[in-house]
Amino acid sequence: MTHLPGTRRGGVLTTAALAAALLLSACGGGSPEATDTSEAAAEDTTVSTAFGDVAVPADPERVVTLAESALDVSLAVGVTPVGTTASRGGDTAPAYLGEDAADIPIVATVSEPNLEAILEAQPDVILASAGLAQEQYDALTAIAPTVVPDTATGGDWQEPLHVYAEALGADDELTAALDDVTSRAEAIAGEGSLEGSAAVLRWMANGPVLMNSALMPGSLLEAAGASPVQAAADLGGRPHSDPLSLENLAQVDADRLFLAAFGADGTGALEAARSQPAFTQLQAVQEDATTEVNGSVWSSASGPIAADLVMDDIEAAAS
């Protein structure tokens, strides 16, 4: 496994690295026929992004993913990136992606790309996360065409996935995978086994937070027949609520609770909460309708592979 170098660079491309990026771009030419603009245009795909339309190779062979969801999409459509980002709080690719992601070199953290490592990967296209700062975008696009979805948390969770798939020339494959996930949810809804309210709580050391119902897990729960608690639907563009005290848990009680413990601290906090009266008095706890789920999948992941794992948990809870 390749990890981030010990010496961290800033989020801005250095002059030397920028010069190297431009040199690589210039050296990638070849014969005049190969660089003919009309021929290049015919081989490009235009993708609508947060920074306007971006032309990317129609069939990119060297892809760098700087978002967990972009890595998920890439692997789901059969593309193995030449570089990717470490998972939140970790130094490897997200564990839920298994061996398919284990050997991909790490060229970024969630908050900061390692520009020298990305440059060395010689990508045809870079798939970055929504909300990327202009400064970082300028540095990345000097290396390769950079695709950044133009979506907010409160929007359709599938939209940014399609942006990535379009850049890979694989949107049909993604659509088929997401349709399969939707079919699984609709089958549960048809049975009526998940009727009632549901909430997803991410447990952290400083208290649980209520996850926005517009995110992937909440959306899949709703598609499976559950109703979101109002507080989760009211979060707007925020991914989750502020940390809740145990005394305030009643505000987000529901017929079913999905408890996403994230990391050792989160797992320990959830275990401690189980002995607290405020927790044990929750309706879902009293009726044995709580499900503990993988926090890295339920509270930070998004993509067809993660969605299948979420549906595994939902199907188990509904059975």
Side-chain angles (χ1 to χ4, degrees):
M1 174 66 67
T2 302
H3 300 288
L4 286 170
T7 300
R8 296 283 293 278
R9 303 288 182 176
V12 184
L13 193 62
T14 64
T15 302
L18 178 56
L22 296 178
L23 179 60
L24 277 178
S25 176
C27 292
S31 65
E33 291 77 15
T35 58
D36 179 79
T37 55
S38 61
E39 186 174 324
E43 297 174 353
D44 285 347
T45 297
T46 300
V47 181
S48 179
T49 79
F51 293 91
D53 289 346
V54 173
V56 302
D59 189 18
E61 296 181 356
R62 299 185 64 81
V63 178
V64 164
T65 56
L66 302 182
E68 291 186 18
S69 54
L71 176 58
D72 189 309
V73 169
S74 296
L75 294 175
V77 302
V79 175
T80 301
V82 295
T84 194
T85 184
S87 62
R88 293 180 182 275
D91 60 0
T92 63
Y96 80 87
L97 293 171
E99 294 182 359
D100 289 340
D103 293 328
I104 300 174
I106 299 300
V107 298
T109 64
V110 172
S111 60
E112 181 182 11
N114 183 312
L115 297 164
E116 292 181 359
I118 295 170
L119 185 62
E120 291 174 3
Q122 300 182 39
D124 298 327
V125 64
I126 299 170
L127 306 182
S129 60
L132 185 73
Q134 178 75 54
E135 197 172 43
Q136 288 188 334
Y137 176 78
D138 292 341
L140 291 169
T141 198
I143 299 174
T146 300
V147 172
V148 181
D150 185 15
T151 55
T153 299
D156 183 348
W157 64 274
Q158 297 187 17
E159 290 178 7
L161 308 183
H162 284 290
V163 175
Y164 295 138
E166 288 172 7
L168 297 173
D171 196 45
D172 288 345
E173 291 92 329
L174 174 67
T175 298
L178 294 177
D179 285 348
D180 287 344
V181 171
T182 299
S183 295
R184 294 178 65 184
E186 290 175 346
I188 296 174
E191 297 168 356
S193 54
L194 208 65
E195 290 182 353
S197 60
V200 181
L201 293 176
R202 174 179 171 181
W203 230 269
M204 305 192 309
N206 61 341
V209 297
L210 174 67
M211 303 303 296
N212 192 319
S213 62
L215 297 175
M216 180 185 69
S219 178
L220 292 177
L221 282 168
E222 190 167 0
S227 301
V229 294
Q230 192 60 47
D234 289 342
L235 285 171
R238 300 174 61 195
H240 53 69
S241 70
D242 295 327
L244 301 167
S245 65
L246 289 175
E247 291 75 14
N248 290 330
L249 281 181
Q251 298 176 11
V252 294
D253 197 5
D255 295 319
R256 290 183 181 271
L257 288 177
F258 293 84
L259 310 174
F262 190 82
D265 290 344
T267 300
L270 177 56
E271 291 174 354
R274 293 187 186 281
S275 64
Q276 299 294 322
F279 183 88
T280 58
Q281 291 172 7
L282 293 175
Q283 177 181 344
V285 176
Q286 292 186 349
E287 296 182 1
D288 196 24
T290 63
T291 302
E292 189 169 344
V293 295
N294 186 336
S296 63
V297 175
W298 275 70
S299 67
S300 66
S302 180
I305 298 174
D308 266 328
L309 295 176
V310 169
M311 284 308 310
D312 288 346
D313 291 331
I314 292 176
E315 288 174 345
S319 62

